[in-house]
Amino acid sequence: MHTIIPAPASIESKAGVFQLERDCPIEAAPEFSGEAKLLAVWLASESTSLPRAASPSGAKRGAIRLVRDESMRDGEGYRLDISSEGILISAKGPAGVFYGCVTLRQLAMENSGSIQAMLIADEPRFSWRGSMLDTSRNFFSVAFLKKYIDLLAFHKLNRFHWHLTDDQGWRIEIDRYPELTKIGSWRGDRRIHGEVRRNGGFYSKADVREILEYCRERHIVVVPEIEMPGHAMAALAAFPGLSCTGGSFEVEDRFGIFEDVYCAGNDETFVFMKNVLEEVCDLFPGPWVHIGGDECPKTRWNACPKCRAAMKREGLKNAEELQSWFVRKAETILAARGKMMIGWDEILEGGLAPGAAVMSWRGEKGGIEAARAGHDVVMTPGEWTYLDHYNTSGPEPLAIGGDVVSLAKAYGYDPVPAGLTPGESSHVLGSEGLIWTEYVPTPAHLEYMLWPRLSALSEVFWSPKEGRDFKEFQQRLKEHAKRLDALDVNRWRPQEERAKFKERP
Ligand code: ACM
Ligand code: ZN
């Protein structure tokens, strides 16, 4: 039995054991030098129980080799061949080699580096294996983001969906509009878990580049999310003239859905949108930009002379069509910079922009509709993938209401909705584990909500569906939990384990 999470596509046990030693030599083809460097750091810092080399210096020692295999498919697949003589990781390119190294990283953390000989042939089920973090409701430091991102890589997740703007905070520096962060990045004092906190901060462009580089090394694509036309109170606090009423506004300190949104009949809105999105496109190298699009009330638009004039001028029947028109303008701006647009499933209402991908959060319906219309979709229905929901129905720290997303529930999710044809299913790029942080005020609390539910989801996103068994997963999770502990992760624990620990967060 192995304990790897997410479970590899295939494993064959072989006779023999490889004893990993401290400072085991790693030989790598030049194009895999980045992966070799990371692996060396992991083995040195995490596998502290590895024995020193037993053989006298000069004697032949088993080595780890990272090699290119031209015969393999492009992409993220790899082979990991462990024999008593040495370890061979082969793949066509760096992403595959990287995932081979991640598997070895997990194996090296147990049994003092004594690894059963085996042959693993592995590749992911889905190409989009993501995690969304809301850094608007609560700000998280760059140092903490790196810890979180490394844990994504540890689970072979490859999309960091970075929620950067919302009613309660604008978190990304935009050179053209310094007021966005000067005014928009601070929310007022509030009391949570009995503590008053003034929450704020933002990521400078240098911070963002640091995160991008950290993600690049770990084969993670960053998908920035800049919310429009709703969830915009932090931006409107800085630029009230972009609203329908003219304001004034404050950065929201309550949680909810707010009626003041960007005015869709004001040319200034689109100048602002273009300038902001162009800076975002220039900063983030990935192919996608998320424009939000969820929960935009139409109250102000229906009452606004400028919005009504725009509807008339453009021949739009209602405010839903006005939102589609707005979103299409965003898509045009992104397309001119070579980017693809993705948005929450509300962007379907009033007609979907031609090249848009849809993130289906209000159940599976939006994703099914978009896939049937030939659009790519990322399935993120709250019922299974929202990790801000309660872990259990028992005593838990305050969380957003709604369904409990238990470990078993998350593990039981299938991103491909029932009833799609194979052709339609091919539009399901994958899924994410998501977290909104209104009730998640600290890094320790965030980890408590994410782990190990995101470990379970990583297996849903990576591993073959056939043979999935929650009981067997739980067995592997016992060993994996020790790895999370070694990485200082404040994971959620089952009731029977909790008694032994001081309750956190
Ligand atoms: C969302 O949860 N409002 C996308
Ligand atoms: Zn308006």
PDB file of all heavy atoms in Angstrom, residues 18-26 39-40 42-44 47-57 59-64 84-85 87 104 108 111-115:
ATOM      1  N   PHE A  18      14.988   1.132  -1.675  1.00  0.00           N
ATOM      2  CA  PHE A  18      16.033   2.133  -1.894  1.00  0.00           C
ATOM      3  C   PHE A  18      16.185   2.945  -0.620  1.00  0.00           C
ATOM      4  O   PHE A  18      15.197   3.458  -0.076  1.00  0.00           O
ATOM      5  CB  PHE A  18      15.673   3.067  -3.058  1.00  0.00           C
ATOM      6  CG  PHE A  18      16.717   4.123  -3.318  1.00  0.00           C
ATOM      7  CD1 PHE A  18      17.853   3.835  -4.069  1.00  0.00           C
ATOM      8  CD2 PHE A  18      16.590   5.415  -2.802  1.00  0.00           C
ATOM      9  CE1 PHE A  18      18.831   4.794  -4.301  1.00  0.00           C
ATOM     10  CE2 PHE A  18      17.566   6.389  -3.022  1.00  0.00           C
ATOM     11  CZ  PHE A  18      18.685   6.070  -3.776  1.00  0.00           C
ATOM     12  N   GLN A  19      17.414   3.044  -0.147  1.00  0.00           N
ATOM     13  CA  GLN A  19      17.650   3.862   1.044  1.00  0.00           C
ATOM     14  C   GLN A  19      18.158   5.234   0.619  1.00  0.00           C
ATOM     15  O   GLN A  19      19.276   5.378   0.139  1.00  0.00           O
ATOM     16  CB  GLN A  19      18.650   3.192   1.988  1.00  0.00           C
ATOM     17  CG  GLN A  19      18.935   4.019   3.243  1.00  0.00           C
ATOM     18  CD  GLN A  19      17.669   4.336   4.046  1.00  0.00           C
ATOM     19  OE1 GLN A  19      16.927   3.434   4.436  1.00  0.00           O
ATOM     20  NE2 GLN A  19      17.397   5.639   4.265  1.00  0.00           N
ATOM     21  N   LEU A  20      17.298   6.213   0.782  1.00  0.00           N
ATOM     22  CA  LEU A  20      17.684   7.584   0.490  1.00  0.00           C
ATOM     23  C   LEU A  20      18.599   8.071   1.608  1.00  0.00           C
ATOM     24  O   LEU A  20      18.326   7.837   2.784  1.00  0.00           O
ATOM     25  CB  LEU A  20      16.412   8.438   0.420  1.00  0.00           C
ATOM     26  CG  LEU A  20      16.482   9.798  -0.228  1.00  0.00           C
ATOM     27  CD1 LEU A  20      16.964   9.716  -1.664  1.00  0.00           C
ATOM     28  CD2 LEU A  20      15.089  10.422  -0.188  1.00  0.00           C
ATOM     29  N   GLU A  21      19.684   8.720   1.200  1.00  0.00           N
ATOM     30  CA  GLU A  21      20.610   9.243   2.207  1.00  0.00           C
ATOM     31  C   GLU A  21      20.683  10.751   2.106  1.00  0.00           C
ATOM     32  O   GLU A  21      20.331  11.316   1.077  1.00  0.00           O
ATOM     33  CB  GLU A  21      22.015   8.647   1.977  1.00  0.00           C
ATOM     34  CG  GLU A  21      22.062   7.165   2.237  1.00  0.00           C
ATOM     35  CD  GLU A  21      23.265   6.500   1.592  1.00  0.00           C
ATOM     36  OE1 GLU A  21      23.937   7.163   0.772  1.00  0.00           O
ATOM     37  OE2 GLU A  21      23.519   5.335   1.909  1.00  0.00           O
ATOM     38  N   ARG A  22      21.171  11.333   3.179  1.00  0.00           N
ATOM     39  CA  ARG A  22      21.352  12.781   3.143  1.00  0.00           C
ATOM     40  C   ARG A  22      22.337  13.138   2.034  1.00  0.00           C
ATOM     41  O   ARG A  22      23.306  12.427   1.819  1.00  0.00           O
ATOM     42  CB  ARG A  22      21.894  13.263   4.494  1.00  0.00           C
ATOM     43  CG  ARG A  22      20.878  14.175   5.188  1.00  0.00           C
ATOM     44  CD  ARG A  22      21.395  14.656   6.506  1.00  0.00           C
ATOM     45  NE  ARG A  22      21.243  13.593   7.521  1.00  0.00           N
ATOM     46  CZ  ARG A  22      21.648  13.744   8.787  1.00  0.00           C
ATOM     47  NH1 ARG A  22      22.250  14.844   9.161  1.00  0.00           N
ATOM     48  NH2 ARG A  22      21.457  12.771   9.660  1.00  0.00           N
ATOM     49  N   ASP A  23      22.100  14.205   1.350  1.00  0.00           N
ATOM     50  CA  ASP A  23      22.987  14.664   0.271  1.00  0.00           C
ATOM     51  C   ASP A  23      23.111  13.649  -0.854  1.00  0.00           C
ATOM     52  O   ASP A  23      24.161  13.555  -1.499  1.00  0.00           O
ATOM     53  CB  ASP A  23      24.386  15.009   0.803  1.00  0.00           C
ATOM     54  CG  ASP A  23      24.311  15.996   1.947  1.00  0.00           C
ATOM     55  OD1 ASP A  23      23.490  16.918   1.856  1.00  0.00           O
ATOM     56  OD2 ASP A  23      25.058  15.819   2.924  1.00  0.00           O
ATOM     57  N   CYS A  24      22.085  12.859  -1.065  1.00  0.00           N
ATOM     58  CA  CYS A  24      22.057  11.948  -2.198  1.00  0.00           C
ATOM     59  C   CYS A  24      22.264  12.770  -3.478  1.00  0.00           C
ATOM     60  O   CYS A  24      21.590  13.776  -3.676  1.00  0.00           O
ATOM     61  CB  CYS A  24      20.700  11.251  -2.231  1.00  0.00           C
ATOM     62  SG  CYS A  24      20.461  10.212  -3.656  1.00  0.00           S
ATOM     63  N   PRO A  25      23.196  12.375  -4.346  1.00  0.00           N
ATOM     64  CA  PRO A  25      23.419  13.184  -5.551  1.00  0.00           C
ATOM     65  C   PRO A  25      22.201  13.182  -6.476  1.00  0.00           C
ATOM     66  O   PRO A  25      21.535  12.154  -6.636  1.00  0.00           O
ATOM     67  CB  PRO A  25      24.625  12.514  -6.217  1.00  0.00           C
ATOM     68  CG  PRO A  25      24.791  11.189  -5.571  1.00  0.00           C
ATOM     69  CD  PRO A  25      24.093  11.211  -4.251  1.00  0.00           C
ATOM     70  N   ILE A  26      21.913  14.332  -7.042  1.00  0.00           N
ATOM     71  CA  ILE A  26      20.817  14.459  -8.015  1.00  0.00           C
ATOM     72  C   ILE A  26      21.442  14.862  -9.345  1.00  0.00           C
ATOM     73  O   ILE A  26      22.100  15.901  -9.434  1.00  0.00           O
ATOM     74  CB  ILE A  26      19.792  15.523  -7.571  1.00  0.00           C
ATOM     75  CG1 ILE A  26      19.203  15.164  -6.201  1.00  0.00           C
ATOM     76  CG2 ILE A  26      18.681  15.674  -8.612  1.00  0.00           C
ATOM     77  CD1 ILE A  26      18.289  16.225  -5.606  1.00  0.00           C
ATOM     78  N   LEU A  39      14.005  19.950  -5.544  1.00  0.00           N
ATOM     79  CA  LEU A  39      14.023  18.622  -4.922  1.00  0.00           C
ATOM     80  C   LEU A  39      15.121  18.554  -3.858  1.00  0.00           C
ATOM     81  O   LEU A  39      14.909  18.021  -2.766  1.00  0.00           O
ATOM     82  CB  LEU A  39      14.232  17.540  -5.997  1.00  0.00           C
ATOM     83  CG  LEU A  39      14.284  16.106  -5.492  1.00  0.00           C
ATOM     84  CD1 LEU A  39      12.985  15.699  -4.801  1.00  0.00           C
ATOM     85  CD2 LEU A  39      14.585  15.123  -6.645  1.00  0.00           C
ATOM     86  N   ALA A  40      16.281  19.116  -4.185  1.00  0.00           N
ATOM     87  CA  ALA A  40      17.395  19.089  -3.220  1.00  0.00           C
ATOM     88  C   ALA A  40      17.012  19.837  -1.944  1.00  0.00           C
ATOM     89  O   ALA A  40      17.295  19.377  -0.824  1.00  0.00           O
ATOM     90  CB  ALA A  40      18.645  19.704  -3.856  1.00  0.00           C
ATOM     91  N   TRP A  42      13.948  20.335  -0.781  1.00  0.00           N
ATOM     92  CA  TRP A  42      12.934  19.562  -0.055  1.00  0.00           C
ATOM     93  C   TRP A  42      13.583  18.416   0.724  1.00  0.00           C
ATOM     94  O   TRP A  42      13.271  18.202   1.896  1.00  0.00           O
ATOM     95  CB  TRP A  42      11.900  18.967  -1.038  1.00  0.00           C
ATOM     96  CG  TRP A  42      11.057  19.984  -1.738  1.00  0.00           C
ATOM     97  CD1 TRP A  42      10.764  21.253  -1.307  1.00  0.00           C
ATOM     98  CD2 TRP A  42      10.424  19.818  -3.013  1.00  0.00           C
ATOM     99  NE1 TRP A  42       9.966  21.875  -2.237  1.00  0.00           N
ATOM    100  CE2 TRP A  42       9.736  21.036  -3.289  1.00  0.00           C
ATOM    101  CE3 TRP A  42      10.348  18.785  -3.943  1.00  0.00           C
ATOM    102  CZ2 TRP A  42       8.993  21.219  -4.459  1.00  0.00           C
ATOM    103  CZ3 TRP A  42       9.600  18.973  -5.093  1.00  0.00           C
ATOM    104  CH2 TRP A  42       8.929  20.178  -5.355  1.00  0.00           C
ATOM    105  N   LEU A  43      14.452  17.674   0.035  1.00  0.00           N
ATOM    106  CA  LEU A  43      15.042  16.503   0.701  1.00  0.00           C
ATOM    107  C   LEU A  43      15.909  16.936   1.880  1.00  0.00           C
ATOM    108  O   LEU A  43      15.932  16.282   2.913  1.00  0.00           O
ATOM    109  CB  LEU A  43      15.862  15.679  -0.296  1.00  0.00           C
ATOM    110  CG  LEU A  43      15.065  15.050  -1.450  1.00  0.00           C
ATOM    111  CD1 LEU A  43      15.980  14.219  -2.341  1.00  0.00           C
ATOM    112  CD2 LEU A  43      13.897  14.196  -0.939  1.00  0.00           C
ATOM    113  N   ALA A  44      16.593  18.059   1.727  1.00  0.00           N
ATOM    114  CA  ALA A  44      17.473  18.512   2.808  1.00  0.00           C
ATOM    115  C   ALA A  44      16.684  19.060   3.988  1.00  0.00           C
ATOM    116  O   ALA A  44      17.043  18.841   5.150  1.00  0.00           O
ATOM    117  CB  ALA A  44      18.431  19.573   2.284  1.00  0.00           C
ATOM    118  N   SER A  47      13.245  15.994   4.985  1.00  0.00           N
ATOM    119  CA  SER A  47      13.484  14.584   5.274  1.00  0.00           C
ATOM    120  C   SER A  47      14.637  14.499   6.257  1.00  0.00           C
ATOM    121  O   SER A  47      15.660  13.892   5.996  1.00  0.00           O
ATOM    122  CB  SER A  47      13.787  13.840   3.982  1.00  0.00           C
ATOM    123  OG  SER A  47      12.833  14.194   3.008  1.00  0.00           O
ATOM    124  N   THR A  48      14.437  15.166   7.392  1.00  0.00           N
ATOM    125  CA  THR A  48      15.542  15.326   8.334  1.00  0.00           C
ATOM    126  C   THR A  48      15.965  14.005   8.967  1.00  0.00           C
ATOM    127  O   THR A  48      17.019  13.920   9.565  1.00  0.00           O
ATOM    128  CB  THR A  48      15.157  16.308   9.451  1.00  0.00           C
ATOM    129  OG1 THR A  48      13.851  15.936   9.905  1.00  0.00           O
ATOM    130  CG2 THR A  48      15.118  17.729   8.943  1.00  0.00           C
ATOM    131  N   SER A  49      15.130  12.988   8.821  1.00  0.00           N
ATOM    132  CA  SER A  49      15.493  11.710   9.432  1.00  0.00           C
ATOM    133  C   SER A  49      16.343  10.853   8.494  1.00  0.00           C
ATOM    134  O   SER A  49      16.653   9.706   8.811  1.00  0.00           O
ATOM    135  CB  SER A  49      14.223  10.955   9.826  1.00  0.00           C
ATOM    136  OG  SER A  49      13.454  10.695   8.676  1.00  0.00           O
ATOM    137  N   LEU A  50      16.718  11.383   7.340  1.00  0.00           N
ATOM    138  CA  LEU A  50      17.527  10.580   6.417  1.00  0.00           C
ATOM    139  C   LEU A  50      18.890  10.269   7.035  1.00  0.00           C
ATOM    140  O   LEU A  50      19.521  11.131   7.635  1.00  0.00           O
ATOM    141  CB  LEU A  50      17.774  11.349   5.103  1.00  0.00           C
ATOM    142  CG  LEU A  50      16.562  11.656   4.229  1.00  0.00           C
ATOM    143  CD1 LEU A  50      17.015  12.304   2.927  1.00  0.00           C
ATOM    144  CD2 LEU A  50      15.760  10.398   3.938  1.00  0.00           C
ATOM    145  N   PRO A  51      19.338   9.008   6.895  1.00  0.00           N
ATOM    146  CA  PRO A  51      20.648   8.660   7.433  1.00  0.00           C
ATOM    147  C   PRO A  51      21.774   9.280   6.600  1.00  0.00           C
ATOM    148  O   PRO A  51      21.568   9.601   5.438  1.00  0.00           O
ATOM    149  CB  PRO A  51      20.674   7.139   7.309  1.00  0.00           C
ATOM    150  CG  PRO A  51      19.725   6.824   6.209  1.00  0.00           C
ATOM    151  CD  PRO A  51      18.675   7.893   6.222  1.00  0.00           C
ATOM    152  N   ARG A  52      22.908   9.404   7.225  1.00  0.00           N
ATOM    153  CA  ARG A  52      24.093   9.816   6.465  1.00  0.00           C
ATOM    154  C   ARG A  52      24.537   8.645   5.604  1.00  0.00           C
ATOM    155  O   ARG A  52      24.264   7.488   5.911  1.00  0.00           O
ATOM    156  CB  ARG A  52      25.236  10.182   7.413  1.00  0.00           C
ATOM    157  CG  ARG A  52      25.021  11.517   8.044  1.00  0.00           C
ATOM    158  CD  ARG A  52      26.296  12.010   8.729  1.00  0.00           C
ATOM    159  NE  ARG A  52      25.996  13.224   9.476  1.00  0.00           N
ATOM    160  CZ  ARG A  52      25.793  14.412   8.907  1.00  0.00           C
ATOM    161  NH1 ARG A  52      25.880  14.540   7.589  1.00  0.00           N
ATOM    162  NH2 ARG A  52      25.502  15.467   9.634  1.00  0.00           N
ATOM    163  N   ALA A  53      25.242   8.950   4.504  1.00  0.00           N
ATOM    164  CA  ALA A  53      25.715   7.896   3.608  1.00  0.00           C
ATOM    165  C   ALA A  53      26.513   6.871   4.397  1.00  0.00           C
ATOM    166  O   ALA A  53      27.417   7.217   5.152  1.00  0.00           O
ATOM    167  CB  ALA A  53      26.575   8.504   2.523  1.00  0.00           C
ATOM    168  N   ALA A  54      26.130   5.588   4.233  1.00  0.00           N
ATOM    169  CA  ALA A  54      26.796   4.535   4.989  1.00  0.00           C
ATOM    170  C   ALA A  54      28.118   4.156   4.337  1.00  0.00           C
ATOM    171  O   ALA A  54      29.076   3.784   5.006  1.00  0.00           O
ATOM    172  CB  ALA A  54      25.896   3.309   5.081  1.00  0.00           C
ATOM    173  N   SER A  55      28.143   4.253   3.022  1.00  0.00           N
ATOM    174  CA  SER A  55      29.340   3.801   2.303  1.00  0.00           C
ATOM    175  C   SER A  55      30.472   4.809   2.480  1.00  0.00           C
ATOM    176  O   SER A  55      30.248   5.996   2.571  1.00  0.00           O
ATOM    177  CB  SER A  55      29.015   3.633   0.825  1.00  0.00           C
ATOM    178  OG  SER A  55      28.308   4.764   0.358  1.00  0.00           O
ATOM    179  N   PRO A  56      31.709   4.304   2.550  1.00  0.00           N
ATOM    180  CA  PRO A  56      32.840   5.222   2.679  1.00  0.00           C
ATOM    181  C   PRO A  56      32.910   6.126   1.447  1.00  0.00           C
ATOM    182  O   PRO A  56      32.485   5.734   0.376  1.00  0.00           O
ATOM    183  CB  PRO A  56      34.062   4.299   2.735  1.00  0.00           C
ATOM    184  CG  PRO A  56      33.593   2.939   2.357  1.00  0.00           C
ATOM    185  CD  PRO A  56      32.113   2.901   2.402  1.00  0.00           C
ATOM    186  N   SER A  57      33.425   7.325   1.629  1.00  0.00           N
ATOM    187  CA  SER A  57      33.410   8.274   0.520  1.00  0.00           C
ATOM    188  C   SER A  57      34.164   7.685  -0.663  1.00  0.00           C
ATOM    189  O   SER A  57      35.156   6.982  -0.512  1.00  0.00           O
ATOM    190  CB  SER A  57      34.016   9.603   0.943  1.00  0.00           C
ATOM    191  OG  SER A  57      35.370   9.412   1.235  1.00  0.00           O
ATOM    192  N   ALA A  59      32.900   5.483  -2.644  1.00  0.00           N
ATOM    193  CA  ALA A  59      32.179   4.299  -3.108  1.00  0.00           C
ATOM    194  C   ALA A  59      30.943   4.734  -3.886  1.00  0.00           C
ATOM    195  O   ALA A  59      30.432   5.829  -3.692  1.00  0.00           O
ATOM    196  CB  ALA A  59      31.768   3.453  -1.913  1.00  0.00           C
ATOM    197  N   LYS A  60      30.470   3.853  -4.737  1.00  0.00           N
ATOM    198  CA  LYS A  60      29.306   4.164  -5.561  1.00  0.00           C
ATOM    199  C   LYS A  60      28.065   4.311  -4.676  1.00  0.00           C
ATOM    200  O   LYS A  60      27.800   3.481  -3.832  1.00  0.00           O
ATOM    201  CB  LYS A  60      29.099   3.022  -6.557  1.00  0.00           C
ATOM    202  CG  LYS A  60      27.968   3.260  -7.531  1.00  0.00           C
ATOM    203  CD  LYS A  60      27.929   2.113  -8.538  1.00  0.00           C
ATOM    204  CE  LYS A  60      26.666   2.177  -9.371  1.00  0.00           C
ATOM    205  NZ  LYS A  60      25.437   1.999  -8.619  1.00  0.00           N
ATOM    206  N   ARG A  61      27.354   5.391  -4.882  1.00  0.00           N
ATOM    207  CA  ARG A  61      26.112   5.577  -4.131  1.00  0.00           C
ATOM    208  C   ARG A  61      24.963   5.696  -5.106  1.00  0.00           C
ATOM    209  O   ARG A  61      25.120   6.179  -6.207  1.00  0.00           O
ATOM    210  CB  ARG A  61      26.184   6.866  -3.309  1.00  0.00           C
ATOM    211  CG  ARG A  61      27.132   6.805  -2.138  1.00  0.00           C
ATOM    212  CD  ARG A  61      27.284   8.180  -1.527  1.00  0.00           C
ATOM    213  NE  ARG A  61      26.023   8.687  -1.002  1.00  0.00           N
ATOM    214  CZ  ARG A  61      25.806   9.973  -0.734  1.00  0.00           C
ATOM    215  NH1 ARG A  61      26.732  10.866  -0.965  1.00  0.00           N
ATOM    216  NH2 ARG A  61      24.641  10.364  -0.240  1.00  0.00           N
ATOM    217  N   GLY A  62      23.819   5.244  -4.657  1.00  0.00           N
ATOM    218  CA  GLY A  62      22.623   5.396  -5.478  1.00  0.00           C
ATOM    219  C   GLY A  62      22.340   6.873  -5.692  1.00  0.00           C
ATOM    220  O   GLY A  62      22.557   7.688  -4.809  1.00  0.00           O
ATOM    221  N   ALA A  63      21.864   7.204  -6.881  1.00  0.00           N
ATOM    222  CA  ALA A  63      21.598   8.606  -7.166  1.00  0.00           C
ATOM    223  C   ALA A  63      20.167   8.772  -7.657  1.00  0.00           C
ATOM    224  O   ALA A  63      19.487   7.802  -8.003  1.00  0.00           O
ATOM    225  CB  ALA A  63      22.570   9.110  -8.212  1.00  0.00           C
ATOM    226  N   ILE A  64      19.739  10.011  -7.682  1.00  0.00           N
ATOM    227  CA  ILE A  64      18.453  10.365  -8.281  1.00  0.00           C
ATOM    228  C   ILE A  64      18.757  11.004  -9.630  1.00  0.00           C
ATOM    229  O   ILE A  64      19.586  11.918  -9.708  1.00  0.00           O
ATOM    230  CB  ILE A  64      17.698  11.370  -7.391  1.00  0.00           C
ATOM    231  CG1 ILE A  64      17.476  10.776  -5.996  1.00  0.00           C
ATOM    232  CG2 ILE A  64      16.385  11.780  -8.038  1.00  0.00           C
ATOM    233  CD1 ILE A  64      17.005  11.781  -4.961  1.00  0.00           C
ATOM    234  N   SER A  84      16.476  -0.687  -5.946  1.00  0.00           N
ATOM    235  CA  SER A  84      17.436  -0.618  -4.845  1.00  0.00           C
ATOM    236  C   SER A  84      18.714   0.124  -5.264  1.00  0.00           C
ATOM    237  O   SER A  84      19.476   0.583  -4.433  1.00  0.00           O
ATOM    238  CB  SER A  84      17.766  -2.023  -4.339  1.00  0.00           C
ATOM    239  OG  SER A  84      18.144  -2.832  -5.436  1.00  0.00           O
ATOM    240  N   GLU A  85      18.894   0.264  -6.575  1.00  0.00           N
ATOM    241  CA  GLU A  85      20.108   0.923  -7.096  1.00  0.00           C
ATOM    242  C   GLU A  85      19.995   2.440  -7.182  1.00  0.00           C
ATOM    243  O   GLU A  85      20.996   3.146  -7.163  1.00  0.00           O
ATOM    244  CB  GLU A  85      20.404   0.411  -8.522  1.00  0.00           C
ATOM    245  CG  GLU A  85      20.523  -1.088  -8.627  1.00  0.00           C
ATOM    246  CD  GLU A  85      21.720  -1.581  -7.838  1.00  0.00           C
ATOM    247  OE1 GLU A  85      22.826  -1.071  -8.101  1.00  0.00           O
ATOM    248  OE2 GLU A  85      21.535  -2.432  -6.943  1.00  0.00           O
ATOM    249  N   ILE A  87      17.096   6.029  -8.262  1.00  0.00           N
ATOM    250  CA  ILE A  87      15.768   6.573  -8.588  1.00  0.00           C
ATOM    251  C   ILE A  87      15.857   7.301  -9.915  1.00  0.00           C
ATOM    252  O   ILE A  87      16.739   8.134 -10.115  1.00  0.00           O
ATOM    253  CB  ILE A  87      15.293   7.538  -7.479  1.00  0.00           C
ATOM    254  CG1 ILE A  87      15.089   6.763  -6.172  1.00  0.00           C
ATOM    255  CG2 ILE A  87      14.023   8.273  -7.909  1.00  0.00           C
ATOM    256  CD1 ILE A  87      14.603   7.594  -5.014  1.00  0.00           C
ATOM    257  N   LEU A 104       8.203  11.978  -5.140  1.00  0.00           N
ATOM    258  CA  LEU A 104       9.377  11.540  -4.365  1.00  0.00           C
ATOM    259  C   LEU A 104       9.481  12.326  -3.056  1.00  0.00           C
ATOM    260  O   LEU A 104       9.836  11.770  -2.009  1.00  0.00           O
ATOM    261  CB  LEU A 104      10.652  11.722  -5.212  1.00  0.00           C
ATOM    262  CG  LEU A 104      11.950  11.305  -4.544  1.00  0.00           C
ATOM    263  CD1 LEU A 104      11.907   9.848  -4.087  1.00  0.00           C
ATOM    264  CD2 LEU A 104      13.135  11.525  -5.501  1.00  0.00           C
ATOM    265  N   ALA A 108       9.808  10.528   0.474  1.00  0.00           N
ATOM    266  CA  ALA A 108      11.029  10.723   1.267  1.00  0.00           C
ATOM    267  C   ALA A 108      10.732  11.172   2.690  1.00  0.00           C
ATOM    268  O   ALA A 108      11.588  11.101   3.569  1.00  0.00           O
ATOM    269  CB  ALA A 108      11.931  11.748   0.582  1.00  0.00           C
ATOM    270  N   ASN A 111       9.329   6.802   6.771  1.00  0.00           N
ATOM    271  CA  ASN A 111      10.238   5.658   6.961  1.00  0.00           C
ATOM    272  C   ASN A 111      11.701   6.031   6.862  1.00  0.00           C
ATOM    273  O   ASN A 111      12.512   5.290   6.312  1.00  0.00           O
ATOM    274  CB  ASN A 111       9.953   4.563   5.921  1.00  0.00           C
ATOM    275  CG  ASN A 111       8.533   4.083   5.986  1.00  0.00           C
ATOM    276  OD1 ASN A 111       7.939   4.080   7.064  1.00  0.00           O
ATOM    277  ND2 ASN A 111       7.979   3.703   4.855  1.00  0.00           N
ATOM    278  N   SER A 112      12.073   7.198   7.322  1.00  0.00           N
ATOM    279  CA  SER A 112      13.467   7.632   7.270  1.00  0.00           C
ATOM    280  C   SER A 112      14.089   7.432   5.889  1.00  0.00           C
ATOM    281  O   SER A 112      15.246   7.046   5.754  1.00  0.00           O
ATOM    282  CB  SER A 112      14.316   6.889   8.315  1.00  0.00           C
ATOM    283  OG  SER A 112      13.740   7.042   9.584  1.00  0.00           O
ATOM    284  N   GLY A 113      13.296   7.683   4.876  1.00  0.00           N
ATOM    285  CA  GLY A 113      13.820   7.632   3.501  1.00  0.00           C
ATOM    286  C   GLY A 113      14.038   6.235   2.959  1.00  0.00           C
ATOM    287  O   GLY A 113      14.664   6.061   1.916  1.00  0.00           O
ATOM    288  N   SER A 114      13.505   5.249   3.654  1.00  0.00           N
ATOM    289  CA  SER A 114      13.605   3.876   3.168  1.00  0.00           C
ATOM    290  C   SER A 114      12.392   3.617   2.263  1.00  0.00           C
ATOM    291  O   SER A 114      11.274   3.470   2.740  1.00  0.00           O
ATOM    292  CB  SER A 114      13.613   2.950   4.386  1.00  0.00           C
ATOM    293  OG  SER A 114      13.638   1.632   3.986  1.00  0.00           O
ATOM    294  N   ILE A 115      12.623   3.594   0.954  1.00  0.00           N
ATOM    295  CA  ILE A 115      11.496   3.596   0.005  1.00  0.00           C
ATOM    296  C   ILE A 115      11.402   2.259  -0.720  1.00  0.00           C
ATOM    297  O   ILE A 115      12.374   1.789  -1.324  1.00  0.00           O
ATOM    298  CB  ILE A 115      11.661   4.725  -1.040  1.00  0.00           C
ATOM    299  CG1 ILE A 115      11.918   6.078  -0.350  1.00  0.00           C
ATOM    300  CG2 ILE A 115      10.418   4.827  -1.915  1.00  0.00           C
ATOM    301  CD1 ILE A 115      12.197   7.221  -1.312  1.00  0.00           C
TER     302      ILE A 115
END
